[in-house]
Amino acid sequence: MDFRVLGPLEMLDKGRNIAPTAPKPRQVIALLIMRRNAVVQTSELIDELWENGPPASALTTLQTYVYKLRKILLRHGGKDLLHTRPGGYVFEIPNSSIDIYRVERAAAEGQAALEAGNATRAHDILHEALSMWQAPALVDVDQGTLLSSYATRLEEFRSRILELRIEADLQLGHHRELVSELKSLVLTHPLHEHLHASLMIALHRSGRRHEALEAFRTLRRNMIEDLGLEPGEELRQLHQALLEDSPIGPPFETRQTMRPAHAAALPQSAADRGGDPETRSVHKAATQALRETPMTGDRAGAPPARELPADPPVTIPLSPVTVPAELPADVADFTGRATTLTEITAHLAPDEPHGTATRVVVIAGMPGVGKTALAIHLAHQLRHRFEDGQLHVELAGSSDTPRDIRDVFHEVLRSLGVRDSHIPEGLEECSKLLRSITVSRRLLLVLDDASSLADLRPLLPGGPRCGVILTSRRRLHGLAGAQSVDLQVLALPEGLDLLASLIGRRRIEREPEAADRLVALSGGLPLALRCIGGRLAAMPGLPLTRVADQIGRSQDVLAELRLGDLNVKAGFDAVYDRLNSSEQATFRLLSMLPADAFTASAAAELLGCEVASVERVLQRFVNSYLLRIVRYDHDGIHYAYPPLTWRYARSRLDSTIAHAALDTRGAPRERAEGARPAVAASAAMCDGGGRLAVS
């Protein structure tokens, strides 16, 4: 049985809360839990229950409450927990079964880690301890004098843990992340000097010195008006240092340091683990490229690699703010993908990390399937495990103007605190510098919309505690150790959940058949569902059946799936435009085959080409998520378009036929006659040997 008081009172037996619901029995069991394994006098219980004077039947009523508690405990195997003693009662439970004990132990471990200089471990432990608080202690229990004193002590204890965690965050450089939290805290604690000092430090290190000075002025004004006192000496010294823009000194200010790449395999000192480092240094030989004149080749007389440890470390000039938090805003109504999230989390941030390689996840799928939304949502869920920073880079690999890898390197290195003048020119030197900086960090890197692995390999961090999330519209093969996630369209239940999050569950329940049709018409594509849902949300009275009928009757379904900046067709256009002319023709013509499935032999017969050549093209389409493999049997591999992709291919085919059906004078021919030149054009894609020109 588990007992919880850090929030609502709970007595959990196999996950079920068995605590009494009546107010006064809850007071009795709450006081017995708080004074566990010690005798609680009957007089104390009576005073707690009836502060303004007990009734004549107080003792009998108390005994009734205790009897009811015993019955509850007996039904759940706890007959030996509550005992009667002379003058009172004792509730005998092991310390490990109550959340207070677990928090006290975690707080002690966290404080010890912080004092030992291991701020990273301190942050993890203290963060976990604070997460055990669901609400103010005993929030749903009527409190007399005794319970109020216990609740007050627990809230003070919580505040102390919070201060320790903030101190660990400051040592780790989490300044920007702390600002909003600290601003909220000082509003509720307007006279708390330590919190104001932490806010001033966080603002100062975030480059917002004027706000830090304003925080001091606000505190001073409040203290003088309410207490008639000036802030303490330590806070005044901090204020003076900010006025002079001079170093504020320990314990507030510590310079970030970098460890050399070759030291990653050595035991870490307390400073290296994030405690109180004086400098983040890189081995001299690993940082030649950071000097004002980058080294572009081997220097004569350069020391051999075996002599590197003898060289003294040099300080790398980093900007003051070196803990980036660049993730875009999470999707508030993110829906589904629970199994996928669990599997990726287990690989990217396991509870027991092991190995020496950076962990990489590649999320790939068709346009609009939600790759970026999943990556960002996952990154936000895991950001607490990558406390040294979270980077986000838009690669634009599927656009007409993909990012240059050199620009990406500059963006990443600047985010990690390297000044522009110290970023090397060569890609290899940039890659080495990135690995050196990240070798001992817990850094998460999100690379969105990649087109190939060739440019991405140099961007991978160098440490085993780093994580990388890649998204792509193509399958990226060949990255050893990476977890590949083929993101599929939403199944009907998940599609309905997403639609319900956009328009409300009641509208779904009023027209369930129409809702099912809308999910089917969207092909389970999250982007398409958002277009439909946004349209319905803007018109609360519009029937779902009417919208489903309108989309179903449309000659151009993809044109219906557009809302503001959301455009399903644009995603398909981007993929289609990256195909060469022969591949585009093949993509269009294959839509003439059965929509449910077709084989490479059927495609070859349609195109008039060799099966082997067609198979290679089909595989490229599969890798680009234009086709999917639906089954294998004795006839070979069976392919099919995803529903919306088939509609897109068919619309392209119809457009091509319409243009081909115009004669030189612009007069339209019969549609059936126009189909023959289109098929004949497919034969032109084959050379004299009957091979596809694109093979």
Side-chain angles (χ1 to χ4, degrees), residues 333 368 490 492 495-504 507-508 511-554 556-569 643-644 647:
D333 54 3
L490 298 176
L492 178 61
L496 291 173
D497 287 341
L498 176 56
L499 194 59
S501 71
L502 297 169
I503 67 174
R507 293 179 75 178
I508 301 291
E511 299 180 81
E513 293 182 0
D516 290 352
R517 286 178 59 202
L518 288 173
V519 174
L521 287 167
S522 74
L525 203 64
L527 181 60
L529 277 170
R530 289 191 178 278
C531 293
I532 296 172
R535 180 176 166 186
L536 287 166
M539 294 180 282
L542 184 64
L544 272 61
T545 302
R546 181 175 176 181
V547 175
D549 290 342
Q550 180 180 344
I551 296 175
R553 289 194 304 265
S554 175
D556 188 358
V557 171
L558 291 173
E560 303 287 338
L561 302 178
R562 181 173 183 175
L563 184 69
D565 293 335
L566 303 179
N567 188 344
V568 174
K569 184 174 180 293
L644 289 183
R647 290 181 180 275

Side-chain angles (χ1 to χ4, degrees), residues 341-360:
L341 285 167
T342 301
E343 292 173 352
I344 298 177
T345 299
H347 173 80
L348 195 64
D351 294 331
E352 297 294 336
H354 56 83
T356 58
T358 298
R359 297 180 179 274
V360 181

Side-chain angles (χ1 to χ4, degrees), residues 274-587:
D276 187 22
E278 281 299 317
T279 57
R280 191 177 293 272
S281 58
V282 175
H283 196 277
K284 179 179 179 182
T287 58
Q288 290 289 343
L290 292 179
R291 303 193 176 180
E292 296 295 340
T293 305
M295 184 175 67
T296 56
D298 295 335
R299 290 188 179 179
R306 62 179 178 273
E307 296 180 12
L308 290 179
D311 294 331
V314 293
T315 300
I316 299 305
L318 297 179
S319 62
V321 181
T322 58
V323 181
E326 300 177 351
L327 298 179
D330 196 4
V331 179
D333 54 3
F334 186 89
T335 304
R337 312 294 195 193
T339 302
T340 302
L341 285 167
T342 301
E343 292 173 352
I344 298 177
T345 299
H347 173 80
L348 195 64
D351 294 331
E352 297 294 336
H354 56 83
T356 58
T358 298
R359 297 180 179 274
V360 181
V361 170
V362 181
I363 303 173
M366 63 187 294
V369 78
K371 302 177 293 295
T372 297
L374 174 63
I376 298 304
H377 183 70
L378 173 68
H380 276 283
Q381 285 191 332
L382 298 179
R383 62 186 304 172
H384 67 282
R385 302 197 189 187
F386 297 94
E387 66 272 16
D388 290 326
Q390 308 92 38
L391 302 179
H392 177 268
V393 181
E394 175 57 57
L395 299 174
S398 62
S399 70
D400 294 333
T401 56
R403 294 280 304 279
D404 186 276
I405 186 64
R406 291 175 177 80
D407 294 338
V408 174
F409 259 122
H410 277 248
E411 178 182 333
V412 170
L413 291 172
R414 278 197 300 267
S415 295
L416 293 175
V418 180
R419 298 190 179 103
D420 286 342
S421 59
H422 292 86
I423 297 178
E425 292 295 330
L427 292 180
E428 184 177 353
E429 288 79 9
C430 285
S431 183
K432 289 179 180 179
L433 175 59
L434 177 63
R435 292 195 297 270
S436 297
I437 293 174
T438 58
V439 67
S440 60
R441 291 192 180 186
R442 294 182 183 270
L443 187 76
L444 181 62
L445 179 60
V446 181
L447 300 173
D448 196 18
D449 194 12
S451 60
S452 69
L453 287 177
D455 289 340
L456 295 180
R457 294 183 190 276
L459 277 171
L460 299 182
R465 298 188 295 174
C466 294
V468 178
I469 304 174
L470 293 172
T471 72
S472 178
R473 290 181 178 177
R474 294 176 53 84
R475 287 182 170 87
L476 300 179
H477 301 294
L479 196 58
Q483 181 187 32
S484 295
V485 178
D486 280 338
L487 199 60
Q488 303 299 319
V489 297
L490 298 176
L492 178 61
E494 287 186 326
L496 291 173
D497 287 341
L498 176 56
L499 194 59
S501 71
L502 297 169
I503 67 174
R505 181 67 64 178
R506 289 185 179 179
R507 293 179 75 178
I508 301 291
E509 292 172 348
R510 283 200 299 265
E511 299 180 81
E513 293 182 0
D516 290 352
R517 286 178 59 202
L518 288 173
V519 174
L521 287 167
S522 74
L525 203 64
L527 181 60
L529 277 170
R530 289 191 178 278
C531 293
I532 296 172
R535 180 176 166 186
L536 287 166
M539 294 180 282
L542 184 64
L544 272 61
T545 302
R546 181 175 176 181
V547 175
D549 290 342
Q550 180 180 344
I551 296 175
R553 289 194 304 265
S554 175
Q555 295 297 317
D556 188 358
V557 171
L558 291 173
E560 303 287 338
L561 302 178
R562 181 173 183 175
L563 184 69
D565 293 335
L566 303 179
N567 188 344
V568 174
K569 184 174 180 293
F572 287 109
D573 285 340
V575 178
Y576 181 81
D577 290 343
R578 294 178 71 86
L579 302 176
N580 61 42
S581 58
S582 297
E583 290 173 328
Q584 289 178 351
T586 303
F587 173 71

Side-chain angles (χ1 to χ4, degrees), residues 364-366 473-475 486 621-627 642 645:
M366 63 187 294
R473 290 181 178 177
R474 294 176 53 84
R475 287 182 170 87
D486 280 338
F621 286 175
V622 169
N623 288 338
S624 297
Y625 292 95
L626 295 173
L627 290 177
T645 311

Side-chain angles (χ1 to χ4, degrees), residues 15 121 141 213 240 245 284 343 435 628 662 675:
R121 175 170 170 75
V141 176
L213 295 171
Q240 188 62 36
D245 196 19
K284 179 179 179 182
E343 292 173 352
R435 292 195 297 270
R628 57 192 178 94
L662 296 176

